[in-house]
Amino acid sequence: MKDTIIIKIDAENIDGKLIEKCAEILREGGIVAFPTETVYGLGADALNSGAVKRIFEAKGRPPDNPLIIHVSKTADILPLVKEIPENAYKVMEKFWPGPLTLIFKKSNIVPRETSGGLSTVAIRMPDHPIAIKLIEKSGAPIAAPSANISGKLSPTKAEHVIEDLMGKADVIIAGGDCDVGVESTVLDMTGEVPVILRPGVVSRETLEKVLGRVLVNSLAESLDKTKGKPDTMNTKHIHYSPKAKMMIIQGGLDSMVAKINELKNRYGKENKKVGIICTDETRGSYEKDTEEIIIKSLGSRKHPETIAANLFKILREFDKTDVEIILCESINDTEIGQAIMDRLKKAASTIV
Ligand code: AMP
Ligand code: MG
């Protein structure tokens, strides 16, 4: 156990001295958790293999799971990559800073620890004033995976990071809640046609408007492809496991509600404590919260961006209860809905 310093920074009125102190810790090879617009990240100097190793140790992350490098300006990617394809400039111009990570062929200065042993490297520019200032002041590209214990839910609030990394990180910057709430879209730019390796709020539809054809690597396909290979598709390792067994129920709204109520009664008879994850549109179709049942709404289906922002927070709230089974509604699998369903499926053990 180490002494972790918690430093509170107001994103709207950033204290330069505090950022400088955190940047100095990064320059000296320390690990610092900081907010981004997607989720909190646990950062280290991406070019310092010793510092990067400490991220893997703190998270308990398998060494073949590559990290995303965060930069504060586009020019900073030049030393990190072998080449920049023409269409990569187009998406960087349009979506950076923002929740889009691009995969490039890596240059030799990126240590194998950072890229998980791959010949490619993942880079993005976050859209968060604290993250940008911190990277800028550190003077280094910052490798940062999500600031949670490996296999657990990604953190969208400072308190989530404190729960997971107290005694493990050097510093936790408490800088408010993350707006987006799901991790960045990961887009592989190394092939002829760009491929989405992980869906995020920058959707395939939105990317296709800029790039033309974009492929999506489905979860099932990538599971097959990554067998025995590095986890380039983000699927080989365990993700987002909530404590309770989670079931996703698919179908139209009415049939989903009916199925969830039926399952709830069945598990209730077995004396299992049940939780329900629903939406504002269906909340009234379930009973009230009781000792036996906890019901939480993700928000309105009309605002998928709110659902994305609430997702990990609500799953973490269930981890604090003694619920054994979570019955979760599914969301329309379009645009942002794809990122939401990807995370729900990774968290669930069954889909019915
Ligand atoms: P995290 O920030 O914790 O979500 O982890 C970063 C994720 O980015 C990894 O799990 C990979 O899915 C993806 N990633 C990072 N580098 C690469 C790469 N070189 N090729 C493909 N995917 C990558
Ligand atoms: Mg992660």
Side-chain angles (χ1 to χ4, degrees):
M1 286 285 272
K2 60 164 66 191
D3 289 331
T4 301
I5 316 169
I6 299 174
I7 298 184
K8 207 167 176 309
I9 297 183
D10 179 355
E12 268 151 38
N13 184 17
I14 295 179
D15 183 330
K17 281 208 189 90
L18 292 179
I19 288 283
E20 178 46 40
K21 182 174 169 182
C22 298
E24 192 184 337
I25 291 169
L26 286 171
R27 284 195 296 270
E28 287 167 354
I31 51 176
V32 174
F34 61 94
T36 78
E37 82 281 28
T38 57
V39 302
Y40 270 77
L42 177 62
D45 178 346
L47 304 183
N48 177 341
S49 55
V52 168
K53 272 192 199 145
R54 294 188 50 215
I55 294 181
F56 284 89
E57 277 162 26
K59 283 180 55 95
R61 183 177 175 103
D64 62 349
N65 194 355
L67 307 183
I68 294 171
I69 298 184
H70 294 68
V71 294
S72 61
K73 54 184 191 302
T74 307
D76 289 349
I77 77 169
L78 292 169
L80 308 173
V81 303
K82 268 212 174 107
E83 63 196 17
I84 304 178
E86 192 58 40
N87 54 5
Y89 282 107
K90 286 194 211 158
V91 275
M92 286 190 283
E93 207 163 281
K94 180 100 181 140
F95 301 107
W96 281 11
L100 176 69
T101 295
L102 301 177
I103 308 287
F104 298 97
K105 290 184 182 137
K106 86 173 187 71
S107 74
N108 292 336
I109 69 161
V110 179
R112 60 189 319 281
E113 285 78 6
T114 303
S115 66
L118 298 173
S119 57
T120 52
V121 63
I123 311 179
R124 88 173 184 105
M125 189 196 298
D127 186 13
H128 193 291
I130 294 177
I132 290 290
K133 278 261 154 52
L134 179 69
I135 299 164
E136 217 172 72
K137 286 275 170 210
S138 74
I142 298 299
S146 51
N148 52 284
I149 296 295
S150 189
K152 297 286 171 206
L153 302 156
S154 295
T156 55
K157 287 172 162 288
E159 66 195 62
H160 298 161
V161 185
I162 292 168
E163 276 163 20
D164 279 17
L165 295 180
M166 209 52 201
K168 296 195 160 102
D170 293 308
V171 175
I172 295 172
I173 299 180
D177 297 353
C178 305
D179 288 341
V180 174
V182 292
E183 306 87 343
S184 56
T185 307
V186 177
L187 184 66
D188 187 347
M189 302 301 296
T190 60
E192 218 152 88
V193 182
V195 184
I196 294 177
L197 303 181
R198 173 174 77 184
V201 297
V202 180
S203 66
R204 178 191 200 166
E205 291 81 351
T206 308
L207 287 167
E208 282 190 329
K209 280 183 198 140
V210 181
L211 291 172
R213 197 155 81 105
V214 172
L215 300 174
V216 178
N217 230 300
S218 80
L219 191 64
E221 261 178 278
S222 32
L223 273 173
D224 277 351
K225 280 193 199 150
T226 52
K227 262 179 207 151
K229 292 189 190 157
D231 185 23
T232 54
M233 308 306 173
N234 213 21
T235 49
K236 202 173 78 184
H237 303 111
I238 299 165
H239 272 274
Y240 315 130
S241 51
K243 282 193 194 132
K245 181 177 138 85
M246 182 161 135
M247 293 172 78
I248 297 176
I249 289 78
Q250 302 190 103
L253 282 195
D254 290 345
S255 78
M256 254 186 320
V257 168
K259 185 78 191 166
I260 287 177
N261 276 323
E262 181 197 320
L263 287 166
K264 176 206 74 181
N265 291 336
R266 193 189 306 166
Y267 287 117
K269 280 193 195 121
E270 294 172 14
N271 285 325
K272 292 224 162 79
K273 183 145 182 181
V274 174
I276 295 177
I277 298 181
C278 63
T279 48
D280 291 355
E281 285 78 4
T282 51
R283 180 63 188 88
S285 310
Y286 303 105
E287 61 197 87
K288 291 208 172 75
D289 270 13
T290 61
E291 282 275 295
E292 285 75 40
I293 181 151
I294 297 177
I295 306 174
K296 292 178 188 285
S297 172
L298 288 168
S300 168
R301 287 171 182 273
K302 290 191 203 107
H303 302 291
E305 66 286 355
T306 308
I307 294 184
N310 286 334
L311 189 63
F312 289 130
K313 180 186 73 159
I314 283 181
L315 290 174
R316 276 190 181 248
E317 283 170 11
F318 271 113
D319 271 0
K320 292 220 166 71
T321 70
D322 53 359
V323 158
E324 293 158 90
I325 312 261
I326 300 171
L327 304 171
C328 179
E329 291 179 3
S330 50
I331 304 297
N332 269 352
D333 206 355
T334 51
E335 306 238 354
I336 300 177
Q338 282 174 11
I340 296 167
M341 284 310 294
D342 172 78
R343 305 316 187 271
L344 285 175
K345 283 178 181 169
K346 283 175 180 160
S349 44
T350 328
I351 302 168
V352 292

